[in-house]
Amino acid sequence: PPAMSVAATPTAGCGWGPVCVRSQTAALLGRWGPAARRVEREGALAELAERYFTCHGPAQLQDMAWWSGLTARGVRAAVDLAGSRLDREDLDGKTYWSRAAAVKSVSSEPSAHRLPNYDEYFIALRDRSAFSNPSRVQVPGSGKGVFDRHIVVAGGDIVGGWHSTPESGRVTVRASLVAALDGAERKAL
């Protein structure tokens, strides 16, 4: 594609606009987007907690703190303000939070996924110990090298890594597993 020149640099209140004759333009955000609703701090904290634990739960308070940049005190306040919109569950000495009445469907179908590294499924949590079932995942040493690349998830556990290589008009995907997959999981992968 031809090189694009920048016709304008966005400043406060502006955003990138449409490309016009191969040049990037800027646009006032007020013309493109709806007016932002005004939310007081308490309402914003409660909404942030509800949204985080809806998308990432079950997760711990330290996970939300790491992800959001809030202090531990700020996260506790956010969870308190969200109140009954969140569920608490204590498991193995750890407290996990999730959205109250979240649809918790458990499929009987085996699942396996190839996710990119830095995917929210894995990276949004500070404590990632729940992703490796010690009875299933046999990782020599720390196993960190396996997870430095894209990840393979089977049955909710991170069971290895994967990478792709372009080869003469096609792409080859190779997985390096640290856990055995049953036949159905292997087929799903």
Side-chain angles (χ1 to χ4, degrees):
M4 293 173 50
S5 61
V6 176
T9 301
T11 58
C14 293
W16 292 115
V19 175
C20 181
V21 190
R22 289 187 267 163
S23 294
Q24 184 70 53
T25 63
L28 291 173
L29 293 178
R31 291 187 183 173
W32 278 36
R37 65 184 169 97
R38 185 112 177 110
V39 181
E40 296 302 319
R41 178 174 171 76
E42 290 79 16
L45 283 172
E47 186 172 333
L48 180 64
E50 183 178 9
R51 287 183 180 202
Y52 176 79
F53 290 111
T54 296
C55 297
H56 299 98
Q60 298 176 64
L61 297 181
Q62 67 182 8
D63 298 324
M64 183 181 168
W66 178 85
W67 181 85
S68 68
L70 290 173
T71 63
R73 178 182 286 171
V75 171
R76 281 191 300 275
V79 167
D80 289 344
L81 290 164
S84 64
R85 292 179 282 179
L86 298 177
D87 282 338
R88 174 186 172 148
E89 184 174 350
D90 295 308
L91 182 65
D92 295 331
K94 296 179 181 178
T95 301
Y96 294 89
W97 296 89
S98 58
R99 181 174 162 243
V103 177
K104 297 176 182 173
S105 65
V106 177
S107 173
S108 60
E109 296 292 318
S111 67
H113 305 280
R114 292 180 310 268
L115 301 176
N117 56 353
Y118 306 115
D119 187 85
E120 283 284 313
Y121 180 77
F122 179 66
I123 202 70
L125 304 174
R126 186 169 181 208
D127 176 6
R128 299 179 182 118
S129 62
F131 289 111
S132 57
N133 180 345
S135 66
R136 177 177 188 180
V137 178
Q138 303 300 317
V139 180
S142 68
K144 290 183 181 178
V146 173
F147 305 128
D148 287 345
R149 56 187 117 171
H150 306 304
I151 59 175
V152 176
V153 177
D157 294 325
I158 294 178
V159 296
W162 69 274
H163 69 279
S164 60
T165 309
E167 297 174 346
S168 59
R170 65 184 195 154
V171 176
T172 300
V173 176
R174 290 184 177 85
S176 301
L177 302 177
V178 295
L181 302 184
D182 64 28
E185 287 175 331
R186 193 167 283 283
K187 183 178 179 183
L189 179 62

